[in-house]
Amino acid sequence: MADLSRRRFLQASMLASGAALLPGVMQAAWAAGSDKPEQETVRVGFIPLTDCAPVVIAALKGFDKKYGITLVPTKEASWAAVRDKLVAGELDAAHILYGLLYGLELGIAGKPQQMANLMTLNQNGQAITLSSDLAEKGVRDLDGLKTLIGQQAPGTYTFAHTFPTGTHAMWLYYWLASAGINPFDDVRTVVVPPPQMVMNMRIGNMVGFCVGEPWNARAINDRIGFTAATSQSIWADHPEKILGTRRDWVEKNPHTARALVSAVLEAARWIEASPENKRETAQILSRRAWLNCKEQYLTGRMLGEYDNGLGQRWEDAHPIRFFNEGAVSYPYLSDGMWFLTQFRRWGLLKAEPDYAGIAQRINQTAVWQDAATAVGGMSTPSSPYRSSTLMDGTVWNGTDPEGYASRFAIHRKGA
């Protein structure tokens, strides 16, 4: 079934690519007004994290106006708030967790909704922070953490992530399990909104958390924690936040969806055009309207310059990426399917899902193709599936997803 779905997708991609050969014709049609955006104003929710950058820059640098829309970024307090406002129609789209969107589609992150992934906003750039209290007990890495946890009763230590089906939960679970720590039996996990992570660690509510930047860098600056792992060390160039919306919104507003993706793609390209642009982006995001934090918390890791808080410094080979010649943004079907395999592993899905079918419904590859054509200078990947090797040596390429989901020695009981 997956192979058949893949063939159908590739056939459709080849047909779509024909339009890419005629950019002048496409632009002339849009100029004539036949593809004018249905909505002039587009409200896009975001959480104050470094990876909201393309949404903010698209609005502030005028890339939205180039495509006939006004993008209005709206700051939200938590991922649950983003979910609720998106579903209620108070937001047209959102900077959102990949796994949250998929969880909504499947009814495990709220009431089932038909959702759409317009594009990937970024790869990499998250981290797992452990408390300075653990460092004082001799914990410096995952092996040390396993030894400490094994010396106490199950559930003694608490870890936080940002949403039950979200990316941070999956990175945290994967990281712990790779060392033989069961994230459901051996430790306790709680949900904390990203901007509240540092404060909660400071008062001792948890000994570790997984979240996006700048909150890991902030924990180091405040001397309450250290970076034990980056998310890219778990899966190099992993998908992270996406530009999500409801499928009915895309169906009613196809030209607006194309314009929105085009504007955000332009912004992503601008951010990565130079180190100076990255520094300017960090300076912009630090302002009260956006992340409301010190610029120094943002700049280093946006440039790939890491300090783990324990004296180790390095230039990361897989820093946060927003564009990378367009490769970041493509909504690979295999990326979405990976989250489904982890939902199965951890008992969030009780029966085998239609992995490829769900990904094809959600990931709006045709919208991305139209937007990429409008922006220009981008090429479509040869396949909607890509291959990656994760930290434990497992290879994920979208084939045999159910077999992949069941191969892990540590999983949730009953899964």
Side-chain angles (χ1 to χ4, degrees):
M1 182 65 182
D3 288 340
L4 177 60
S5 298
R6 186 182 304 202
R7 286 198 300 272
R8 287 174 176 168
F9 180 92
L10 292 174
Q11 290 167 357
S13 295
M14 286 187 289
L15 289 173
S17 67
L21 299 175
L22 301 170
V25 173
M26 298 294 287
Q27 294 288 0
W30 296 338
S34 63
D35 282 355
K36 179 181 178 182
E38 299 83 0
Q39 287 185 205
E40 293 183 358
T41 301
V42 183
R43 293 175 55 84
V44 182
F46 73 94
I47 292 290
L49 292 160
T50 302
D51 50 33
C52 74
V55 170
V56 173
I57 294 300
L60 296 187
K61 293 290 183 179
F63 295 117
D64 53 347
K65 303 298 191 299
K66 178 177 178 179
Y67 294 97
I69 59 173
T70 297
L71 194 164
V72 180
T74 67
K75 184 191 288 190
E76 304 300 338
S78 68
W79 292 119
V82 170
R83 173 198 62 192
D84 294 346
K85 290 185 178 182
L86 191 57
V87 169
E90 295 177 44
L91 296 172
D92 297 308
H95 154 253
I96 195 169
L97 296 163
Y98 214 128
L100 194 167
L101 193 86
Y102 267 63
L104 265 175
E105 175 83 17
L106 298 167
I108 57 175
K111 185 179 178 181
Q113 304 287 334
Q114 293 186 338
M115 305 304 294
N117 170 17
L118 298 174
M119 62 177 285
T120 300
L121 289 174
N122 70 293
Q123 294 174 345
N124 310 321
Q126 322 299 294
I128 294 172
T129 291
L130 298 182
S131 71
S132 296
D133 290 341
L134 291 186
E136 292 174 3
K137 293 179 180 179
V139 175
R140 293 291 189 277
D141 52 27
L142 189 51
D143 289 339
L145 180 64
K146 177 177 171 54
T147 298
L148 181 67
I149 289 174
Q151 295 171 349
Q152 304 294 327
T156 298
Y157 294 102
T158 299
F159 293 79
H161 55 71
T162 63
F163 195 84
T165 64
T167 52
H168 304 113
M170 299 304 117
W171 310 143
L172 179 64
Y173 297 168
Y174 203 101
W175 184 73
L176 291 170
S178 72
I181 303 169
N182 190 307
F184 290 89
D185 296 344
D186 298 335
V187 300
R188 177 173 175 260
T189 58
V190 296
V191 174
V192 175
Q196 298 177 25
M197 285 291 189
V198 173
M199 179 270 290
N200 274 276
M201 179 170 278
R202 181 179 290 113
I203 62 179
N205 284 345
M206 67 273 204
V207 299
F209 60 70
C210 184
V211 73
E213 299 299 344
W215 308 115
N216 301 287
R218 172 69 184 272
I220 292 172
N221 182 84
D222 290 4
R223 301 182 185 280
I224 65 165
F226 66 96
T227 295
T230 63
S231 57
Q232 53 265 33
S233 71
I234 299 170
W235 176 358
D237 296 335
H238 66 80
E240 184 49 42
K241 305 303 186 301
I242 56 178
L243 186 60
T245 184
R246 304 175 309 280
R247 234 165 22 252
D248 66 345
W249 186 84
V250 178
E251 292 166 357
K252 293 175 183 175
N253 303 282
H255 307 321
T256 311
R258 182 208 70 235
L260 175 60
V261 175
S262 299
V264 176
L265 280 174
E266 291 258 24
R269 182 160 62 185
W270 181 88
I271 293 169
E272 291 201 349
S274 68
E276 291 71 28
N277 285 6
K278 291 180 181 179
R279 291 189 179 92
E280 182 180 345
T281 300
Q283 192 277 326
I284 289 170
L285 292 179
S286 69
R287 297 171 187 166
R288 181 178 297 274
W290 312 114
L291 273 61
N292 190 26
C293 68
K294 293 181 180 178
E295 185 178 337
Q296 69 193 62
Y297 301 159
L298 294 154
T299 306
R301 294 193 172 189
M302 179 170 278
L303 293 170
E305 300 169 354
Y306 276 76
D307 176 344
N308 73 345
L310 296 176
Q312 182 183 359
R313 294 178 174 83
W314 71 96
E315 289 284 336
D316 204 290
H318 301 275
I320 188 168
R321 290 184 173 129
F322 300 104
F323 192 67
N324 192 22
E325 304 304 320
V328 168
S329 63
Y330 186 77
Y332 287 96
L333 302 186
S334 54
D335 285 358
M337 290 165 63
W338 185 87
F339 288 98
L340 298 177
T341 69
Q342 299 308 294
F343 294 168
R344 280 287 280 155
R345 178 185 184 182
W346 302 120
L348 299 170
L349 292 176
K350 303 302 182 184
E352 178 181 352
D354 178 6
Y355 290 95
I358 292 169
Q360 286 173 340
R361 291 201 304 270
I362 298 175
N363 289 21
Q364 303 294 299
T365 54
V367 174
W368 182 93
Q369 179 67 66
D370 285 348
T373 299
V375 171
M378 298 171 59
S379 59
T380 302
S382 60
S383 170
Y385 297 80
R386 63 182 180 128
S387 181
S388 304
T389 302
L390 279 73
M391 64 178 293
D392 53 5
T394 60
V395 176
W396 169 246
N397 56 22
T399 61
D400 189 22
E402 185 68 8
Y404 178 88
S406 62
R407 68 176 294 178
F408 297 99
I410 293 182
H411 56 274
R412 194 172 187 180
K413 291 179 179 178

